[in-house]
Amino acid sequence: MTIPEKMRAFVLTGHGDMDKLVYHTDWPVPVAGPGEVLIKVHACGLNNTDVNTRTAWYSKGVSGNTTGGAFDTADDEDATWGGAPITFPRIQGADVSGTVVVGPDHLLGKRVLVETWLRDWSDPLNLEKIGYFGSECDGGYAEYVKIDERHAHPVDSELSDAQLATFATSWITAENMLNRAGVGEGDEVLITGASGGVGSALIQLANRRGATTIAMAGKSKHDAVSKFEPHALLDRAPGNLKQALKGVIGQDTVSVVADVVGGSYWPQLIDVLARGGRYTCAGAIAGPMVEMDLRTFYLRDLTFTGATIVPPGVFADLVGYISRGEVKPALAATYPLEQLHEAQQAFIDKKHTGNIVVTMP
Amino acid sequence: MTIPEKMRAFVLTGHGDMDKLVYHTDWPVPVAGPGEVLIKVHACGLNNTDVNTRTAWYSKGVSGNTTGGAFDTADDEDATWGGAPITFPRIQGADVSGTVVVGPDHLLGKRVLVETWLRDWSDPLNLEKIGYFGSECDGGYAEYVKIDERHAHPVDSELSDAQLATFATSWITAENMLNRAGVGEGDEVLITGASGGVGSALIQLANRRGATTIAMAGKSKHDAVSKFEPHALLDRAPGNLKQALKGVIGQDTVSVVADVVGGSYWPQLIDVLARGGRYTCAGAIAGPMVEMDLRTFYLRDLTFTGATIVPPGVFADLVGYISRGEVKPALAATYPLEQLHEAQQAFIDKKHTGNIVVTMP
């Protein structure tokens, strides 16, 4: 196979509005070094990280209760999830499905998914030596991408390229949340943002463990969310959550809340946790600043776990679930790469259910 | 030994001001039933629970950023730590040292400490079947008290009765916090409210585990707190906590925050937690309503643990530490029982360091 020297790519040039995402047709194709593979990208899924990094939402200078548009007051020194500044130009895009076109024999020609957490492989549990595919190195909004060969996981599946590109970030995030909260059989798991990528993954992955799932999403999305088979469905912010729970599961408390929403509704989420309950969080799409009542927290012996960095092994678990057909993708829409602006705007508008993916020309 | 029929006792008659605590000299002496012991109380230590229950601070009707005086808006239906209403009249007082005067042979005449968490002993881990000595049953602000014999722990110590009455609530709370946060060698533990009963216990118990302890307390109390041998001492609310930490331990983060203070300073406590850090909480003396930034929480993979109900075994561990002289009491002052109002006012004024104890006539 001949590798061209130039490729089509969407390049982020700095923090700001959508115009900071610039489409190129003559961007240099990366060259795989020793121990690396070059992957021909077939499809790449969108994530909050793309938007949050662009708008510098992760910066503490931003109080940002909306996604997007907050970059004016942001501090570039503290504008990635990890607190380290991102460098530009940067090709974003973490959820890649593709084929290995340069690499060792056992990977060459293989259909792969890319493990997204970058580690120091000689010190893989060191949380200070970590990065994210498409943030600390170039990602998949391009025709080709290179990566350490240990990140290329062959996958054997009948799913389409676009379907395979729905999994990586959302699903390892969701699986990590369930690990952090120790979810298992007998748990009732209340899931916010259930129409999104992480939310819909949480439903399937918690069901897979034998838990009872209660999904929260806007009424207009209930038909779509019901396809992920939660045990119960609630509106995104019922006026009286205890009452609403009682109506669908016969009790007004849950043992676990898995949240990616936060915002002004947050105190109600915490207040339905039973004594000894667990709250786990991997996002705050409705706003990161929340009001916490320490009495609820300590008097009920609650445990809260933040879930961002995913330990080694979780991605391989997920590839196993996919290969064995234990989970099904939630592909909401596909756009060609050159329409990334439109794709990201649809992603921000949150009218979809599941994942949005760009595909290569 | 002859047991009288009447005794001196301080009785709480309802939620309210100090005048709800009424001294009696002819209160009926309790009668030990099957499986119970009657203890002649020698001394009984004061705790926040006494004040919080009296003022109905645990009620969600109270936004109470001060201790005391908030009962006007409280909802009696939700006015104990457990959410169940307390019944009156009630003799408070949890931290009892005394001598068994009625009971089985192996306990009769023994000097004992009283384990304070009431359990259903046929279902001891059930968090819904639990109460507190001096809250859900009568406690130690009286000459005699009865309790299930499994709560009477013989202690062999050279410490005085008043010194022994400093341990129970504060120390099992502190030990449970350290268990919940998994504190061990190599941890740096930032301790708020270090001049109080729980705070001073946290210092000694975290040191006992080989952790590095940084104690926060008002400057006027540093001499007194230094006797508990923290590795470093900080003011109660340094303007720049990161800088202050750097000055005393050479780094601007800690792995653990053990907090009983909360209040408006709380966001700074969370912000010095290193990636993967743990926050544990057993009180909120500066106010329960705090502002939480979910970004800090989830992007740094933090773990928060509330610590109220103490599992079986912890009290026995503590009695072992006391009997082996591994910990030393922090007796701030003693008052005779009839001066409980003055003792509790001194407790509320928080000018003391360590525990305040009432002794029997």
Side-chain angles (χ1 to χ4, degrees), chain A residues 57 59-60 62 127 180 275 281-282 288 290 292 294-299 301-306 308-309, chain B residues 57 59-60 62 127 180 275 281-282 288 290 292 294-299 301-306 308-309:
Chain A
W57 184 85
S59 167
K60 285 305 177 55
V62 182
L127 298 180
R180 289 277 281 153
R275 183 175 293 286
C281 175
V290 295
M292 176 164 167
L294 289 174
R295 286 172 294 191
T296 310
F297 174 67
Y298 82 84
L299 293 172
D301 293 289
L302 301 182
T303 298
F304 289 9
T305 48
T308 291
I309 298 177
Chain B
W57 183 86
S59 167
K60 284 304 174 55
V62 183
L127 298 179
R180 289 276 284 153
R275 186 175 291 285
C281 174
V290 296
M292 176 163 169
L294 289 174
R295 286 172 295 193
T296 310
F297 174 66
Y298 83 83
L299 293 171
D301 294 290
L302 302 182
T303 299
F304 290 7
T305 48
T308 291
I309 298 178

Side-chain angles (χ1 to χ4, degrees), chain B residues 115-117 132 167-177 205 310 314-316 318:
Chain B
E115 181 168 356
T116 51
W117 283 100
Y132 206 71
F167 284 109
T169 296
S170 297
W171 286 70
I172 58 168
T173 298
E175 180 76 353
N176 186 42
M177 290 170 80
L205 290 168
V310 178
V314 176
F315 197 91
L318 173 63

Side-chain angles (χ1 to χ4, degrees), chain A residues 89-137:
Chain A
R90 171 65 67 229
I91 299 173
Q92 295 184 287
D95 293 3
V96 165
S97 71
T99 299
V100 174
V101 291
V102 176
D105 284 349
H106 68 283
L107 288 174
L108 203 60
K110 286 273 169 61
R111 198 182 191 200
V112 293
L113 292 178
V114 176
E115 180 168 356
T116 51
W117 282 100
L118 310 173
R119 309 176 199 284
D120 178 341
W121 285 95
S122 63
D123 191 9
L125 294 176
N126 188 330
L127 298 180
E128 302 299 331
K129 296 180 181 173
I130 209 135
Y132 206 71
F133 184 50
S135 292
E136 279 68 36
C137 73

Side-chain angles (χ1 to χ4, degrees), chain A residues 241 262-273 289-293 296 300, chain B residues 60 289:
Chain A
L241 182 55
S264 59
Y265 195 76
W266 191 84
Q268 283 215 52
L269 299 176
I270 302 308
D271 210 34
V272 299
L273 281 168
M289 305 308 298
V290 295
E291 190 175 65
M292 176 164 167
D293 189 331
T296 310
R300 273 194 229 160
Chain B
K60 284 304 174 55
M289 304 310 298

